[in-house]
Amino acid sequence: MTEKSRRKPRQARAQATVEAILEATFQLLEESGLTKLTTNRIAERAGVSIGTLYQYFSDREAILFALSQRQSDNVRKKITELVLENPETSAVRAIIRALMNGPTGSHQTRLILSDALFRSGGSDVMSRQHFAFLDSVSRQLSFDFPHGREAAFILTHTVVQLLRAAAAEPELDLNPEVLEDELVHLLESYIENLTSRFAPAKS
């Protein structure tokens, strides 16, 4: 994957500058969407010169990618916290709820950032993140089904892709609570099927 940042923010001031640029980008996306988003407007909103902005990011796409990564990381952390701190709640429901409510911003902003992640090779990033999540959670919880590569792919990508589709089609006016229930039923049915297929044969 191509490195998007030109300078890695190693000092506190540099990190603060990057955060200001990302926050400015998020605010502008919320206000006017992607069509009016330019690096000049981002720099102005962040309170930095355009030259400073280009020290850290090569172009607008690089900024969107960094912002989408931050959103993705925050969701992954929230999922892990929900599953490990609320064992009485279905792990599947906790994951789906975090994915539905985790990313901040409007549906349109979330869709823009999701597209930016995928355009920049983020599907590979997402895969690594979700496998890391499955690995961390499986050490804490008892998973009684075999989550091999193919099964893990289905479990971690089905909900993400369906939620992207829902965000892209707001005219469907889907009820979030009903959608959550249906996604839970979908994944739990798949897990139940996995369990029955790979259960040890009774002697």
Side-chain angles (χ1 to χ4, degrees):
M1 185 190 305
T2 302
E3 177 60 48
K4 294 290 182 180
S5 299
R6 289 187 172 179
R7 179 194 296 177
K8 292 187 177 180
R10 302 186 182 187
Q11 300 176 348
R13 182 179 298 177
Q15 184 63 48
T17 300
V18 169
E19 289 299 318
I21 292 170
L22 296 181
E23 182 58 32
T25 302
F26 178 79
Q27 291 175 9
L28 290 170
L29 284 174
E30 287 287 274
E31 292 172 11
S32 53
L34 189 61
T35 56
K36 295 182 180 180
L37 186 71
T38 66
T39 51
N40 282 321
R41 291 191 70 199
I42 294 170
E44 181 181 2
R45 176 64 64 91
V48 301
S49 69
I50 190 67
T52 297
L53 181 148
Y54 282 125
Q55 287 180 341
Y56 297 101
F57 299 101
S58 58
D59 52 25
R60 185 185 74 166
E61 192 68 18
I63 301 172
L64 288 172
F65 176 70
L67 184 56
S68 66
Q69 278 193 311
R70 186 175 73 171
Q71 292 271 63
S72 178
D73 288 340
N74 288 340
V75 171
R76 179 171 55 85
K77 291 174 184 176
K78 184 173 182 179
I79 289 173
T80 304
E81 290 172 1
L82 281 172
V83 173
L84 299 183
E85 293 177 4
N86 300 280
E88 71 281 357
T89 302
S90 159
V92 171
R93 185 174 294 278
I95 291 170
I96 291 173
R97 188 168 293 170
L99 287 171
M100 292 182 71
N101 302 319
T104 56
S106 64
H107 282 304
Q108 187 60 30
T109 296
R110 288 151 63 177
L111 183 60
I112 289 169
L113 295 178
S114 177
D115 286 341
L117 189 67
F118 277 78
R119 284 198 310 273
S120 302
S123 57
D124 180 59
V125 173
M126 189 180 75
S127 295
R128 293 199 306 270
Q129 288 182 338
H130 282 280
F131 278 119
F133 158 71
L134 282 174
D135 182 60
S136 65
V137 172
S138 64
R139 296 195 199 105
Q140 304 280 338
L141 300 178
S142 176
F143 280 78
D144 58 356
F145 61 91
H147 47 90
R149 179 175 299 176
E150 291 77 16
F153 172 83
I154 291 172
L155 286 168
T156 59
H157 284 67
T158 296
V159 173
V160 173
Q161 297 296 348
L162 286 172
L163 289 176
R164 288 185 78 233
E169 301 178 71
E171 66 275 7
L172 296 178
D173 194 26
L174 300 175
N175 183 311
E177 294 181 359
V178 176
L179 181 60
E180 177 186 311
D181 286 341
E182 293 305 310
L183 290 171
V184 170
H185 293 324
L186 176 66
L187 262 65
E188 287 185 340
S189 296
Y190 178 67
I191 292 171
E192 183 178 352
N193 181 270
L194 278 177
T195 302
S196 63
R197 280 192 286 139
F198 292 93
K202 295 182 179 180
S203 56

